[in-house]
Amino acid sequence: MEKFTKLTGIAAPMPLVNIDTDMIIPKQFLKTIARTGLGKNLFDEMRYTQEGQEIPDFILNQPAYRASEIIVAGDNFGCGSSREHAPWALLDFGIRCVISTSFADIFYNNCFKNGILPVVLPKEAVDVLMADAQKGANARISVDLENQTVTSSDGQSFGFDVDAFKKHCLMNGLDDIGLSLEKVAAIDSFESRAKTLRPWV
Amino acid sequence: MSGPRTLYDKIWDDHVAHQSEDGTCLLYIDRHLVHEVTSPQAFEGLRMAGRPVRAPEKTIAVPDHNVPTTAGRDTHIDNEESRIQVEALDKNARDFGIHYYPVSDVRQGIVHIVGPEQGWTLPGMTVVCGDSHTATHGAFGSLAHGIGTSEVEHVLATQTLIQKKSKNMKVEITGHLRPGVTGKDITLSVIGVTGTAGGTGYVIEYCGQAIRDLSMEGRMTVCNMAIEGGARAGLIAPDEKTFAYVMGRPHAPKGAAWEAALAYWKTLFTDEGAHFDKVITLRGEDIAPVVTWGTSPEDVLPITGTVPSPSDFSGGKVEAVQRALDYMGLTAGQKLTDIQIDTVFIGSCTNGRIEDLRAAAAVLKGKKKKDGLRAMVVPGSGLVRAQAEEEGLAQIFIDAGFEWRLAGCSMCLAMNPDQLSPGERCAATSNRNFEGRQGRGGRTHLLSPAMAAAAAITGHLTDIRDLL
Ligand code: SF4
């Protein structure tokens, strides 16, 4: 998993509330064999017509936002199913941070497993950042995980809370696998003991 | 560790690579079996993180769930998504250097049949696979878990699984089975007693004379369905039969290594006085040939029984039984032997081994399936298929009007083209009778291979003992 420490990037404003996982990645794309490659179908039904043409109004289709790395979203982002395809699709598109007043629980946890930082802020702060994001590509928002702050393009800073353990994992790029690999010495020594005890394995 | 230990305790203790203060362990994994459906994202995860497979020599892959079981599949698979998943496994096996049995290989088959057949599964090992029926391998006295895709990736990368220890449960089958009763009838009968959640939180050890008496194939059938009883794994202590089965397999130890292994394997039994958190005992003599009538493996009755009524049950099961009877198109009070069937499926990791085919062929020899009935045999592996052809079993099936297929999961889960149509009723030797399991609207009755063969002849569910 990629580390997350600091990020300054274009933020796409998506004020819609209750953006669910079906919107993020519709079910017909779950048959994939990969975790990658889902970015082109991120928000598929909002983003393309049935014929597959881009819908120009959709935020990520607008020239200023095509390279967004942050989404500033309405309440309750990521509600719906537990599909990890949702964070996979966001990440594949290039989104590393989503800011909202609230997230669905499973989606929130899935983000951390995939190197995405979900930031919960009070409504007033999200409103400021939403307005900032609406200014276009020049309005870059900065996210600093170590200091737990989000800063708007004009320098307004907001502190946010995050679980210390999750922060540690994300800052060090550790998922379950990463954590287990921290114990690689124990695995190594188990392996060499087992080699003597049960060499036929 | 002091005091007497169970078989599970012993295998567990010998595989803890790391233990945290809260009891969470990294359990070392000796064999990791991989198939095409639950692994693509795991391999992709490794690629994204730039991680290798830690122990490719302990990792074995085979496509089974999705593959057609008809000729020509090694050059072309029609269904595009299936083809892509199989091709992905081809590539992942190549790129990561793991052992691989492609569809073109005679050794290809259902992962849980290939593992033991090739000697990958040995007593005292930990075995995992991204598939719930990994419990099958417990028949060798190896601790075998089914895992999810994230865990598949975890095992590929670390050769360990993050686990907390389960509780111990003993299922003892005393005495001897009566004629016509098989391992399938034991395992279904146990689930009938415990319910599908009865094993939740436990690792089951099956023991007792009737279990000892089973062949390795029969023991694999018993352990295969431990998961249907909700258990994390099912175990049977290895004995001379186990050692005889393992000896000479391609990946079994040889020479001095064999002797060393054997000495260790002989220590793998539950000590006198070891503690079990739950004990269930059945008399072998009391077990009848059974069938399922509903849509849960716990909906099981002796073939001499009648379809139950929702009012025979209590609590949430009342509604579930009503729903099951509606789905299955059955009426309370109907004799089980009066249930007409449309299709017979013999195969799956529960009953797709050579002994299963022998049992079915013994019933079918010189007979024909009922006119109009669809009947299919899908051997569990290419080697089972080859052996059955050599023994003349294939000809018996063909003469009886059965389709003789290539190896794979096939109609067990109907992910390939072998599916039931809505309302079609099937006597199946597989392990799940869930709604839609064998195809949307399909109706499944689980039973033993001999009972399936008997049903093929008469066209209705049949007491095998009437044909003995
Ligand atoms: S045969 Fe059926 S139960 Fe066994 S692995 Fe295949 S799909 Fe799963």
Side-chain angles (χ1 to χ4, degrees):
Chain A
M1 189 173 83
E2 211 174 314
K3 290 180 191 180
F4 189 106
T5 47
K6 276 186 190 158
L7 169 70
T8 299
I10 300 166
M14 297 188 73
L16 189 64
V17 300
N18 298 326
I19 292 177
D20 63 47
T21 50
D22 276 275
M23 293 179 191
I24 299 171
I25 186 78
K27 64 177 172 296
Q28 61 266 36
F29 304 108
L30 306 186
K31 290 177 176 176
T32 174
I33 54 162
R35 250 181 277 225
T36 51
L38 287 166
K40 62 178 183 298
N41 303 113
L42 176 68
F43 297 116
D44 195 86
E45 288 169 9
M46 302 162 87
R47 198 164 145 203
Y48 305 105
T49 62
Q50 282 212 325
E51 294 71 42
Q53 302 296 313
E54 279 190 8
I55 298 169
D57 281 354
F58 182 67
I59 189 78
L60 297 178
N61 288 334
Q62 296 173 21
Y65 295 103
R66 296 182 87 93
S68 296
E69 292 173 274
I70 299 166
I71 290 175
V72 184
D75 306 342
N76 197 28
F77 189 85
C79 57
S81 82
S82 64
R83 61 184 67 158
E84 216 164 309
H85 298 71
W88 291 348
L90 287 164
L91 186 68
D92 192 67
F93 181 89
I95 304 294
R96 294 297 309 279
C97 175
V98 184
I99 300 167
S100 177
T101 55
S102 56
F103 292 89
D105 182 56
I106 301 172
F107 175 83
Y108 185 79
N109 286 314
N110 279 344
C111 281
F112 283 98
K113 288 184 194 160
N114 289 282
I116 298 173
L117 174 65
V119 174
V120 181
L121 285 173
K123 181 152 189 353
E124 308 76 63
V126 173
D127 286 346
V128 169
L129 295 168
M130 188 73 75
D132 196 37
Q134 272 154 350
K135 291 180 197 157
N138 291 328
R140 289 169 178 254
I141 288 177
S142 295
V143 183
D144 181 337
L145 178 54
E146 179 159 26
N147 294 308
Q148 297 178 212
T149 57
V150 176
T151 309
S152 69
S153 62
D154 54 13
Q156 284 193 72
S157 215
F158 307 95
F160 63 88
D161 284 336
V162 60
D163 173 79
F165 180 67
K166 287 192 163 84
K167 175 180 172 179
H168 168 75
C169 293
L170 199 49
M171 286 199 63
N172 292 289
L174 303 172
D175 45 20
D176 274 358
I177 298 175
L179 285 175
S180 294
L181 287 174
E182 283 184 345
K183 297 165 190 142
V184 72
I187 302 173
D188 286 344
S189 80
F190 176 89
E191 246 173 15
S192 55
R193 260 181 293 136
K195 234 187 194 106
T196 332
L197 291 171
R198 296 185 294 278
W200 59 87
V201 171
Chain B
M1 257 294 157
S2 58
R5 294 182 298 164
T6 64
L7 172 58
Y8 171 51
D9 296 338
K10 289 181 182 179
I11 304 175
W12 175 272
D13 290 346
D14 277 354
H15 288 86
V16 175
H18 182 274
Q19 181 155 6
S20 302
E21 276 161 27
D22 68 350
T24 307
C25 292
L26 282 183
L27 196 68
Y28 191 82
I29 301 304
D30 295 324
R31 292 287 181 265
H32 185 190
L33 310 175
V34 173
H35 66 83
E36 79 279 22
V37 175
T38 54
S39 67
Q41 280 89 355
F43 283 110
E44 191 62 18
L46 291 187
R47 279 199 185 86
M48 281 172 78
R51 289 181 179 131
V53 173
R54 180 180 169 100
E57 74 284 1
K58 293 174 179 168
T59 311
I60 299 99
V62 60
D64 56 5
H65 281 64
N66 243 303
V67 298
T69 54
T70 44
R73 63 180 187 172
D74 45 343
T75 50
H76 188 74
I77 296 175
D78 279 338
N79 182 284
E80 193 182 344
E81 278 157 354
S82 298
R83 190 179 67 238
I84 290 171
Q85 281 194 327
V86 172
E87 285 170 357
L89 190 62
D90 290 346
K91 178 172 161 48
N92 288 329
R94 213 170 36 240
D95 289 0
F96 289 92
I98 64 185
H99 300 280
Y100 189 48
Y101 303 102
V103 275
S104 56
D105 192 313
V106 69
R107 297 167 296 177
Q108 177 271 344
I110 304 168
V111 64
H112 307 308
I113 292 189
V114 172
E117 201 167 69
Q118 292 301 316
W120 290 116
T121 307
L122 300 172
M125 282 183 161
T126 46
V127 180
V128 297
C129 175
D131 185 277
S132 54
H133 291 97
T134 309
T136 312
H137 308 264
F140 291 79
S142 70
L143 179 60
H145 301 297
I147 56 176
T149 296
S150 301
E151 290 176 312
V152 169
E153 185 179 344
H154 190 278
V155 176
L156 288 171
T158 68
Q159 206 57 30
T160 65
L161 192 62
I162 301 173
Q163 285 278 297
K164 278 196 171 163
K165 200 173 172 197
S166 304
K167 289 180 284 183
N168 278 290
M169 172 159 149
K170 174 159 100 172
V171 172
E172 185 176 15
I173 316 293
T174 62
H176 300 279
L177 299 180
R178 296 194 186 278
V181 180
T182 67
K184 186 63 163 287
D185 302 296
I186 293 180
T187 203
L188 281 169
S189 298
V190 170
I191 297 163
V193 171
T194 62
T196 47
T200 307
Y202 292 92
V203 165
I204 295 175
E205 180 177 346
Y206 298 95
C207 60
Q209 187 59 44
I211 298 289
R212 293 278 90 153
D213 287 349
L214 291 174
S215 65
M216 285 314 294
E217 284 86 351
R219 294 179 190 183
M220 283 188 253
T221 303
V222 170
C223 288
N224 174 273
M225 293 192 70
I227 188 73
E228 254 60 60
R232 175 167 287 170
L235 287 171
I236 295 175
D239 61 9
E240 293 304 326
K241 270 186 203 168
T242 320
F243 310 144
Y245 181 99
V246 167
M247 193 161 82
R249 302 261 159 199
H251 297 278
K254 315 251 167 355
W258 170 263
E259 294 306 324
L262 201 59
Y264 173 71
W265 296 342
K266 287 182 174 170
T267 68
L268 299 173
F269 54 84
T270 290
D271 296 331
E272 195 64 40
H275 176 73
F276 283 97
D277 303 279
K278 190 168 173 179
V279 177
I280 285 173
T281 308
L282 295 185
R283 275 167 33 98
E285 291 78 7
D286 291 346
I287 298 174
V290 292
V291 294
T292 61
W293 49 267
T295 51
S296 163
E298 71 188 17
D299 298 340
V300 64
L301 279 175
I303 182 68
T304 48
T306 55
V307 174
S309 154
S311 63
D312 299 339
F313 297 83
S314 59
K317 191 71 185 168
V318 176
E319 211 175 307
V321 169
Q322 187 56 58
R323 185 184 167 89
L325 294 187
D326 292 346
Y327 180 85
M328 293 296 288
L330 298 175
T331 330
Q334 199 176 351
K335 284 176 70 179
L336 293 173
T337 48
D338 285 344
I339 297 173
Q340 305 292 315
I341 53 158
D342 307 303
T343 298
V344 170
F345 168 66
I346 297 176
S348 89
C349 60
T350 316
N351 284 124
R353 284 170 286 268
I354 190 69
E355 181 188 89
D356 303 314
L357 303 195
R358 284 185 194 135
V363 176
L364 288 166
K365 189 163 188 179
K367 304 218 170 67
K368 292 237 177 290
K369 72 167 173 74
K370 179 116 194 286
D371 265 354
L373 182 136
R374 169 158 75 135
M376 182 192 300
V377 186
V378 185
S381 74
L383 289 178
V384 169
R385 183 180 147 94
Q387 189 176 348
E389 286 176 348
E390 211 179 287
E391 292 183 14
L393 309 179
Q395 202 54 52
I396 293 173
F397 287 118
I398 292 164
D399 291 346
F402 276 69
E403 292 175 47
W404 179 243
R405 295 296 195 91
L406 299 173
C409 294
S410 179
M411 207 191 260
C412 174
L413 89 166
M415 211 169 153
N416 80 347
D418 306 331
Q419 303 185 3
L420 297 181
S421 327
E424 192 175 345
R425 189 181 298 282
C426 181
T429 65
S430 46
N431 47 48
R432 282 184 177 153
N433 51 353
F434 300 159
E435 285 186 23
R437 169 74 174 183
Q438 294 193 284
R440 198 189 168 92
R443 294 163 171 168
T444 303
H445 296 277
L446 302 176
L447 33 54
S448 73
M451 290 275 283
I457 296 167
T458 62
H460 55 82
L461 296 179
T462 298
D463 190 337
I464 180 64
R465 293 170 297 192
D466 296 343
L467 301 187
L468 289 177

